[in-house]
Amino acid sequence: MAFFTVVWRYTDDIALIDEARGPHGAYLKDLIASGSLRIAGPFEDGTGGILVFEVADQAELKPLLDNDPYVARGVVVDTQIYPFKPVLGALAA
């Protein structure tokens, strides 16, 4: 398994963000329960967020991102994906 940090930037359309927030939150809770999403949260200024996934590879990650209501509904306007190797803390092996 590998870790990936995903950095999202959101649209400026607050109404769109508010409309998608509930389904997005429910979707992320399901990913947490399945173990593929390890931690997630928004930037304090509301312009985006960070998610840390533990999956086999980017091929497994892609549909998890694509099926998120924030992506499907156009809230996410930019996605950056970084392979991540935890060496200290709760995610370190």
Side-chain angles (χ1 to χ4, degrees), residues 4-5 12 24 27 35 39 43 58 60 63 67 71-72 74 83 85 87:
F4 295 92
T5 300
D12 293 333
H24 164 71
Y27 181 75
I39 191 166
F43 300 144
Q58 285 199 32
E60 183 179 343
N67 291 324
V71 173
K85 180 181 177 182
V87 295

Side-chain angles (χ1 to χ4, degrees), residues 7-11 43 45 47-49 75-80:
V7 180
W8 277 343
R9 290 286 173 186
Y10 301 155
T11 181
F43 300 144
D45 66 2
T47 62
V75 170
V76 175
V77 297
D78 183 61
T79 300
Q80 301 293 319

Side-chain angles (χ1 to χ4, degrees), residues 11 16 18-24 66 68-76:
T11 181
L16 181 61
D18 288 345
E19 175 186 303
R21 184 174 288 120
H24 164 71
D66 290 347
D68 188 292
Y70 267 14
V71 173
R73 296 181 186 191
V75 170
V76 175

